[in-house]
Amino acid sequence: MTIVRIPGSKSVMARALFLAAAADGTTVLRHPLRSDDTEGFALALQALGYPVTLDDEAWTVTGNPAGPPAGSADVYCRDAGTAARFLPALAAAGHGHFRFDASAQMRRRPVGPLSEALRSLGVTLHHDEAEGHLPVTIDAAGITGGDLRLDAGLSSQFLTALLLMGPLTGQGLRIHVTDMVSVPYVEMTLAMMARFGVAVERDGSVFVVPAAAYSPQDYVVEPDASSASYFFAAAAVAGRTVTVPGLSSSSLQGDVRFVHVLERMGATVDIADDSITVTGPPKLNGVTVNMRDISDTVPTLAAIAPFADGPVRIEDVYNIRVKESDRLEACASNLRALGIRVETGRDWLEIHPGVPAGARIACHADHRIAMSFSVTGLLTDGITLDDPDCVKKTFPTFHRVFAELRQGWDL
Ligand SMILES: O=C(O)C1=C[C@@H](OP(=O)(O)O)[C@@H](O)[C@H](O)C1
Ligand SMILES: C=C(OP(=O)(O)O)C(=O)O
């Protein structure tokens, strides 16, 4: 049995940083994840005028319920969907002149439905280049609140941004959601808002957010379940056992459910109070699986799919086309480069059994493509990555941790 310690959750960090900034007092985040996304988020808060400290053991943020302390700011969101979607909503609820920009990769990703929702609440917002994309400039004068409609079918982050911001409005928000992906991330948002003292009422697709005060917290960040998926997949495909401490069925992260996909493929899964253990079978089965709720783990599954004894079909994942890369195409084209037969449609892919050959993986600057195909490389000689450093977005120490696993197993 191999114990793998996984760094903190990027998604929990982003919400905790937002909530800390919106609360009246100082929040302490323990077991913080230092990665490009989370550090970028914290430095963005600093640019918005919030006092932030970043130490190895704990990060602190001193909040301001009235909005960003800086009257104006130029904020760079790097590659982070969380920063690029959550922070404009935070700024819009305050007062001042704020501009948000991001990397070329993040500029390509959509923010339009969020911008439209903010405009419908009376926010003065301007896309400086392409409509619906960063950079965006906001002339913030507070938000009264009220009813609005939102399409979260491309990204749940639009809804999370509005939910987190809702308590900072004058009268609260009633959000009618017309479509939604990545539902567990919205559940995480609601659970973390409750932890910071604000309860949202949900009636089906309507979310009622009160105008209310967040209270600062001393908060321990759980390990990242999406990062853990590479190690669970490694165990599953290599017929070994991996235990990740700190995850359980009460985790805030939907991606812990990835282990149930492995279970359907023949792995043995043990979910204890404070750890999850996966043991791989001698041979994985094929599977058909809807991954709409856990789509960050699509590349993980795609990368081990050739080793199953039947086809692996992944369905209902259109929105992975608007992540760091078009992940549906990135998975398919890299698998084909390894000599594997793959079929794709608008929102699905089907991967056939085969013996991968070595190839240089095109990461498309996408951390999940790099980490996923590293798992394929456990059982395949000659797999290299064209951009190994892109893992820094969420898991800067990934290659070291993965190399330790590989050495321990001596495959
Ligand atoms: O809210 C979040 O922290 C996230 C939501 C998901 O995005 P979408 O809602 O765009 O699918 C997920 O893919 C992303 O890694 C993190
Ligand atoms: C999609 C991802 O990130 P984000 O949307 O937060 O940039 C991810 O980490 O896989």
Side-chain angles (χ1 to χ4, degrees):
M1 192 240 286
T2 310
I3 294 178
V4 181
R5 294 192 190 279
I6 299 289
S9 157
K10 167 201 84 171
S11 293
V12 169
M13 284 291 292
R15 284 161 180 74
L17 288 167
F18 184 116
L19 291 161
D24 193 3
T26 298
T27 288
V28 182
L29 302 182
R30 301 188 191 277
H31 191 240
L33 165 69
R34 188 184 280 267
S35 74
D36 201 59
D37 271 16
T38 57
E39 188 188 75
F41 202 113
L43 297 188
L45 287 179
Q46 251 172 12
L48 289 165
Y50 299 94
V52 175
T53 65
L54 311 182
D55 293 324
D56 288 348
E57 296 303 312
W59 290 11
T60 67
V61 179
T62 302
N64 180 22
S72 74
D74 227 322
V75 179
Y76 186 59
C77 300
R78 304 189 183 182
D79 293 329
T82 46
R85 274 80 176 250
F86 302 173
L87 291 174
L90 176 67
H95 290 79
H97 181 81
F98 305 105
R99 183 172 186 273
F100 294 87
D101 201 352
S103 66
Q105 181 187 76
M106 188 61 227
R107 276 183 171 203
R108 284 195 293 273
R109 299 175 62 193
V111 298
L114 174 62
S115 299
E116 284 314 312
L118 291 172
R119 282 177 175 142
S120 79
L121 291 169
V123 174
T124 305
L125 176 154
H126 176 73
H127 288 278
D128 301 343
E129 296 190 15
E131 186 58 34
H133 295 265
L134 262 55
V136 68
T137 301
I138 298 175
D139 280 301
I143 295 177
T144 306
D147 276 58
L148 71 154
R149 292 175 76 76
L150 178 76
D151 182 344
L154 271 187
S155 173
S156 69
Q157 292 176 347
F158 308 145
L159 177 57
T160 285
L162 294 166
L163 289 167
L164 291 171
M165 177 273 275
L168 306 180
T169 61
Q171 298 169 1
L173 298 178
R174 177 184 289 269
I175 311 169
H176 303 253
V177 178
T178 54
D179 188 18
M180 181 158 50
V181 289
S182 300
V183 170
Y185 286 97
V186 174
E187 288 162 356
M188 176 195 291
T189 304
L190 300 182
M192 289 189 63
M193 288 174 69
R195 170 70 193 274
F196 279 74
V198 177
V200 174
E201 274 177 43
R202 179 176 179 184
D203 183 4
S205 57
V206 180
F207 295 77
V208 183
V209 191
Y214 286 121
S215 51
Q217 297 296 314
D218 193 312
Y219 194 98
V220 181
V221 179
E222 63 187 49
D224 192 295
S226 322
S227 297
S229 74
Y230 310 109
F231 296 87
F232 293 140
V237 83
R240 303 295 173 108
T241 299
V242 161
T243 297
V244 175
L247 291 176
S248 70
S249 54
S250 56
S251 162
L252 294 170
Q253 301 166 80
D255 279 6
V256 292
R257 295 184 213 160
F258 178 68
V259 296
H260 295 307
V261 179
L262 299 175
E263 198 169 32
R264 286 182 56 202
M265 296 175 78
T268 304
V269 172
D270 178 19
I271 302 185
D273 285 348
D274 195 31
S275 68
I276 296 182
T277 300
V278 171
T279 303
K283 184 81 184 167
L284 291 166
N285 314 318
V287 71
T288 294
V289 56
N290 182 314
M291 295 187 87
R292 184 181 176 92
D293 279 356
I294 56 168
S295 67
D296 282 0
T297 60
V298 168
T300 323
L301 180 59
I304 59 167
F307 302 108
D309 64 6
V312 171
R313 186 178 166 91
I314 301 170
E315 297 182 335
D316 203 5
V317 291
Y318 174 75
N319 93 316
I320 70 170
R321 291 187 180 275
V322 293
K323 303 280 186 179
E324 286 79 334
S325 64
D326 176 341
R327 287 184 177 158
L328 210 146
E329 278 311 316
C331 287
S333 56
N334 278 309
L335 285 165
R336 287 182 188 126
L338 301 176
I340 301 300
R341 192 175 131 221
V342 184
E343 287 141 34
T344 61
R346 178 183 174 277
D347 65 354
W348 60 268
L349 66 167
E350 184 162 328
I351 301 147
H352 292 268
V355 179
R360 189 169 172 79
I361 299 297
C363 296
H364 302 276
D366 186 338
H367 56 139
R368 300 216 182 279
I369 300 299
M371 294 190 279
S372 298
F373 282 92
S374 298
V375 182
T376 321
L378 264 187
L379 300 186
T380 306
D381 287 339
I383 291 196
T384 58
L385 306 175
D386 71 351
D387 181 13
D389 285 351
C390 66
V391 303
K392 73 180 191 301
K393 185 173 192 281
T394 54
F395 196 167
T397 56
F398 171 80
H399 295 299
R400 182 167 55 72
V401 179
F402 201 72
E404 280 167 14
L405 180 86
R406 183 193 276 265
Q407 270 164 18
W409 283 353
D410 193 21
L411 290 168

